[in-house]
Amino acid sequence: MAPSARQGAEGARAIRERAGNTLDSSLIVAQFISGLTSAMTLFLVASGLTLIFGVVNVFNFAHGSFYLLGAYFAYQVVAVSGVGFWAGVLLASLGAGAAGVLMEYFFLRRIYGRSGEAGFQILLTYSFILILDDVVKMIWGTDYKSISKPEALAGPLSVGEVTMPRYDLVVIAIGLAVAVGMWAAIRKTRFGRNLRAISSNREMASSLGVNVPLTLSLVFGLATALGGLSGAIAAPVRTVTPGAGIEVIIGSLIVVVIGGLGNFWGALVGALVIGEVTAFGILFLPQWAILFSYAVMALVLVFRPEGLLMKKGNAR
Amino acid sequence: MILELKDVHTYYGTSHVLFGVSLDVDRGEVVCLMGRNGAGKSTTFRSVMGLSLPRAGTVLFHGKDVTRLKVHAKARMGIGYVPEDRQIFPELTVRENLEIGRSSGIRRADGWSVDRIYGLFPVLEKYDRKPGGQLSGGEQQMLTIGRTLMGNPELVLLDEPTEGLAPVVVIALKEMILRLKEMGTTILLSEQNVKFAAKVSDRVFIIDNGAIRYRNDIEGFRNDEAVQKRYLAV
Ligand SMILES: Nc1ncnc2c1ncn2[C@@H]1O[C@H](COP(=O)(O)OP(=O)(O)O)[C@@H](O)[C@H]1O
Ligand SMILES: [Mg+2]
């Protein structure tokens, strides 16, 4: 979150200088859009985190690292190999998903159901933050990388007084499409029904013939692909740096605490709250902006520790 | 022989629970595994499914060693498991609970469908789109059985189906078991109630302290009051 807040702060200052320090409505709209954009990238990561927790029963500390992988994969295929932007985004998501499947298959799978599993999970997934961070540094170095937006979306879109960055609108649309698509997949498809059954009782689902190990790998792959998608579409608006994995996981952690861990819509609500609180925090009190999201989280922890959307004792 | 256990030893962590269980079930039979609470009935069923993997011994299905197969693979071969504590999926609708039973992938022209399950257990139909968690204990037991039948199993492991149910529901279950038997389904049932067992079973095994202590056909068992007293709380 930190770099976005930093960049956002600079952006806001620039905007305010241009606007002569008056808060007109176009500035509010611009900040709102910017808040939505970062909300969507956060949502893509947090929804995967919450999906893995709800179905696989693992808290994947390394989830932010798949955002990181997505961003670097996108840099590699788009900026270095010259593949088209959206094809690059797709490849980056698939790459991150494949990395997630490998991590689940070769490592996490070995500790499911072990006594004291939670402790092993923390150690294992945390170690992957360090491993993936170093892998990224070894391959791409520590310099900031950037990729440019697709040309067609580089400019702003003006509606009356208000101008909005076209690319941000696309990011928001992607986030909303993923939210609706995931909801429909979970509620309306066979795969989603299996996920809900596994989340409620893994042994029973397998006793009925559901291939639980395969499903868990697929969930892991899907969730890490969403993380990769987030990193890839955020790459043109944020610089790509090795530390991004940790920043994103902290942001997502705040989001899932607010929304309720394991709650899909909670991840969306949490991301919207944090995205907008940060965006408007930057506008009004830039030096305090980062603190606002922690403050919101602390308030939720004190007054609704089960999360804003969570019914007590309900995992989804 | 459709199912055979040979000298099965099963542990929970370090605690040794089954001490060489051997039993067999023929195609089309209803066989009852009887024993007190804690005797090892559920663990025997869990060992067959692979939910608790035996450390020694073999489980044969149609003569093939399936001991170490994955749980879902056993379901897909035609072993249906109805656990004792009615583990329905409370947040899934009744219909979804039933549909997930089709995950075994076994399809038959004369196979089970949601409508046929509703025919077998008419009370379930009115809950079609309601979460399974809203059902009463007896209704949940019917849903668990129906869900397993949806996979068209050849062999059904029914773990203490009558436990804690009202007498009318027990009668309905008895009729259901006899109907399944008529249809050719093989059933391995666990039970503590001698009367119920005698009404539905062809043969009986008694398990105590994790080992089979007695086996007989139903006539012999019914008349053997000494055995009933010794191993069961009659
Ligand atoms: N999950 C478990 N962990 C440890 N011990 C268990 C577990 N489940 C059952 N047991 C023990 O195994 C023995 C057999 O239990 P079980 O197979 O459930 O008997 P039954 O079904 O005949 O009542 C009992 O002594 C019980 O305490
Ligand atoms: Mg039992």
Side-chain angles (χ1 to χ4, degrees):
Chain A
M1 301 199 78
S4 71
R6 223 180 296 127
Q7 285 177 344
E10 284 154 19
R13 216 169 293 131
I15 297 167
R16 258 196 283 181
E17 274 155 24
R18 242 182 291 137
N21 255 340
T22 53
L23 289 175
D24 55 45
S25 60
S26 72
L27 185 52
I28 303 269
V29 171
Q31 255 345 68
F32 181 71
I33 299 280
S34 143
L36 276 185
T37 310
S38 56
M40 287 309 156
T41 57
L42 264 181
F43 165 72
L44 289 176
V45 178
S47 62
L49 188 66
T50 239
L51 185 68
I52 290 177
F53 183 80
V55 180
V56 190
N57 204 13
V58 163
F59 189 87
N60 182 23
F61 275 104
H63 209 64
S65 305
F66 293 92
Y67 169 99
L68 184 70
L69 285 182
Y72 276 95
F73 287 161
Y75 165 77
Q76 183 67 36
V77 285
V78 176
V80 181
S81 309
V83 173
F85 183 81
W86 294 111
V89 167
L90 182 66
L91 287 174
S93 314
L94 292 175
V101 169
L102 293 179
M103 171 175 163
E104 195 275 344
Y105 188 83
F106 287 107
F107 298 93
L108 276 173
R109 178 171 286 210
R110 290 165 202 280
I111 59 168
Y112 294 153
R114 199 187 270 193
S115 60
E117 182 183 346
F120 286 110
Q121 274 180 18
I122 294 172
L123 287 175
L124 187 57
T125 59
Y126 185 77
S127 71
F128 265 88
I129 297 182
L130 307 177
I131 294 168
L132 291 175
D133 239 35
D134 276 355
V135 166
V136 161
K137 281 182 199 153
M138 268 153 50
I139 301 178
W140 288 286
T142 52
D143 306 344
Y144 286 19
K145 308 280 187 210
S146 63
I147 59 181
S148 25
K149 296 172 189 173
E151 256 164 52
L153 299 175
L157 178 74
S158 301
V159 182
E161 300 270 285
V162 185
T163 60
M164 295 170 282
R166 278 172 207 269
Y167 185 78
D168 288 30
L169 296 180
V170 172
V171 169
I172 294 167
I174 290 175
L176 291 176
V178 167
V180 173
M182 268 176 80
W183 172 81
I186 289 172
R187 284 288 136 195
K188 307 284 178 197
T189 68
R190 228 183 72 168
F191 182 68
R193 185 201 63 206
N194 288 353
L195 294 193
R196 284 179 287 133
I198 289 173
S199 150
S200 131
N201 188 336
R202 209 183 275 190
E203 276 197 348
M204 200 59 237
S206 60
S207 301
L208 293 167
V210 177
N211 188 339
V212 173
L214 176 69
T215 312
L216 296 185
S217 295
L218 289 177
V219 166
F220 219 86
L222 180 69
T224 49
L226 289 176
L229 172 65
S230 178
I233 61 177
V237 282
R238 299 183 196 172
T239 41
V240 180
T241 72
I246 292 182
E247 281 150 14
V248 168
I249 193 65
I250 291 173
S252 309
L253 195 60
I254 298 174
V255 164
V256 295
V257 165
I258 292 175
L261 190 51
N263 186 312
F264 177 73
W265 291 116
L268 185 60
V269 170
L272 290 172
V273 169
I274 290 307
E276 293 303 342
V277 162
T278 310
F280 283 97
I282 287 165
L283 194 56
F284 296 113
L285 279 172
Q287 61 275 52
W288 296 95
I290 297 167
L291 271 184
F292 285 134
S293 49
Y294 291 109
V296 173
M297 176 175 80
L299 287 176
V300 170
L301 279 175
V302 171
F303 294 105
R304 288 283 313 238
E306 65 281 10
L308 287 182
L309 289 198
M310 223 45 173
K311 279 180 258 156
K312 281 201 172 88
N314 183 355
R316 42 190 55 241
Chain B
M1 230 174 296
I2 186 165
L3 179 74
E4 188 175 7
L5 274 71
K6 280 189 187 162
D7 199 25
V8 166
H9 289 258
T10 303
Y11 294 68
Y12 288 110
T14 54
S15 124
H16 196 166
V17 173
L18 295 188
F19 298 86
V21 168
S22 298
L23 59 79
D24 53 83
V25 182
D26 271 327
R27 190 189 275 255
E29 273 189 314
V30 176
V31 171
C32 189
L33 179 64
M34 303 201 68
R36 292 190 194 101
N37 271 336
K41 304 180 294 297
S42 299
T43 307
T44 303
F45 285 15
R46 290 177 58 84
S47 303
V48 173
M49 273 327 272
L51 293 165
S52 301
L53 264 193
R55 272 206 211 152
T58 37
V59 177
L60 303 168
F61 184 62
H62 285 302
K64 191 175 163 246
D65 184 351
V66 297
T67 322
R68 299 199 167 266
L69 283 190
K70 294 242 167 64
V71 179
H72 64 89
K74 289 180 182 170
R76 291 174 183 199
M77 293 177 79
I79 307 180
Y81 169 57
V82 182
E84 68 183 326
D85 35 11
R86 318 189 179 113
Q87 302 174 24
I88 59 153
F89 302 110
E91 293 122 42
L92 270 62
T93 65
V94 165
R95 180 173 287 265
E96 284 178 325
N97 266 278
L98 291 174
E99 279 168 352
I100 209 159
R102 296 175 69 86
S103 307
S104 76
I106 299 173
R107 303 275 182 271
R108 280 214 305 262
D110 61 341
W112 290 94
S113 63
V114 173
D115 287 341
R116 279 193 65 202
I117 297 293
Y118 288 161
L120 185 69
F121 300 121
V123 294
L124 293 181
E125 186 160 10
K126 66 173 186 282
Y127 293 107
D128 188 49
R129 303 276 164 190
K130 302 242 168 65
Q134 291 183 5
L135 271 55
S136 72
E139 290 158 351
Q140 290 194 6
Q141 182 62 295
M142 294 175 196
L143 180 57
T144 335
I145 295 172
R147 184 179 63 178
T148 298
L149 290 179
M150 286 290 286
N152 297 314
E154 263 186 276
L155 166 70
V156 177
L157 311 172
L158 259 183
D159 197 359
E160 291 206 50
T162 64
E163 201 185 3
L165 294 186
V168 272
V169 186
V170 173
I171 292 171
L173 273 182
K174 183 196 77 186
E175 276 155 19
M176 189 240 21
I177 291 174
L178 293 175
R179 255 180 87 183
L180 286 182
K181 183 177 150 78
E182 250 168 55
M183 290 161 46
T185 310
T186 310
I187 296 173
L188 175 60
L189 172 78
S190 87
E191 191 50 65
Q192 302 198 38
N193 182 324
V194 173
K195 276 201 192 124
F196 186 84
K199 278 183 196 141
V200 298
S201 325
D202 300 308
R203 287 193 297 133
V204 169
F205 287 84
I206 294 179
I207 187 169
D208 198 45
N209 278 328
I212 300 292
R213 311 287 171 177
Y214 177 87
R215 57 182 294 170
N216 206 339
D217 60 23
I218 198 67
E219 293 304 319
F221 169 70
R222 215 190 322 232
N223 300 324
D224 199 340
E225 286 185 13
V227 155
Q228 295 176 18
K229 280 220 178 72
R230 181 153 167 217
Y231 293 115
L232 306 163
V234 258

